[in-house]
Amino acid sequence: MTTTEAGSTEEVAFQVFPWIWLQLMQCVLDGLVDVPREPVHEAEHRALVAEVIDHHASYFLIKSILALRDPAFVLYPPWLSVLARALLWMGGWRPTAALRLVPAGILSAEQTWALEAIREVTRAEVAVVEEEMRRVQIEGVVGLMMAGRAAEASVAAAEKAAIERMLARQWTVAVVADSLRMKVLRRVVAVLSPLQAVDFMAAVVRMEVSMHQM
């Protein structure tokens, strides 16, 4: 494959990826909503939730690969509306927002305690990611300013190097943010009953689909 062909393949991947994901999530949502709710179907509940978790793991992996070429692709998705992008946290839903989607049904004391512990840990992890992104942005600006002070013949090379360093660190932040989203899903599902987990994942997928439709 030539460089031109590889570039064309990447462009196609960038264009079709979000729409394939949206269609998949709409199908997944239908399955989560329509699954029989009787306790006798608990095995089906577990399998369906595990399948949705796997879909998200694959989604975040593909995002990380595409972001190697352009971190802005995942941090500021161009296919979303201006309003949807304004609501994003590091290119996706805020982990603490997902925690508010836990079904409002009856939770045991043990579940309530476990979910509160998850909230506290998640808030701390969100703060770490936000601080790292602030550091990346500040150091990126400083790096470009320093590059501008280089010898005239070296300015372009220095600016390119500064931009590449900033993009590499933005990629890391994007991957860490998606990793945190994945952790939240797994942590919450581990605490809930199979049917509660179905309702939780349905709420998460509904949130994801609604962001695409704003």
Side-chain angles (χ1 to χ4, degrees), residues 19 36 41 45 62 122 156 174 207:
W19 309 116
H41 296 286
H45 299 160
I62 294 171
T122 302
M207 172 179 66

Side-chain angles (χ1 to χ4, degrees), residues 32-132:
L32 290 166
V33 171
D34 295 338
V35 67
R37 299 181 65 83
E38 293 79 11
V40 69
H41 296 286
E42 184 174 300
E44 187 176 352
H45 299 160
R46 292 183 186 277
L48 185 56
V49 169
E51 180 183 350
V52 180
I53 291 289
D54 287 343
H55 282 319
H56 280 78
S58 297
Y59 170 67
F60 292 139
L61 175 61
I62 294 171
K63 276 181 66 180
S64 71
I65 294 171
L66 293 177
L68 281 170
R69 180 169 178 259
D70 183 6
F73 174 76
V74 297
L75 291 171
Y76 315 102
W79 62 86
L80 294 182
S81 68
V82 174
L83 174 59
R85 288 199 297 271
L87 297 175
L88 293 180
W89 180 84
M90 308 298 169
W93 42 266
R94 179 178 286 272
T96 50
L99 291 171
R100 293 195 287 270
L101 300 177
V102 174
I106 298 174
L107 296 173
S108 68
E110 183 178 358
Q111 286 177 315
T112 301
W113 176 87
L115 288 169
E116 184 54 37
I118 292 172
R119 288 188 183 92
E120 290 183 8
V121 170
T122 302
R123 282 194 289 265
E125 291 173 326
V126 164
V128 170
V129 175
E130 290 176 340
E131 178 58 31
E132 178 59 20

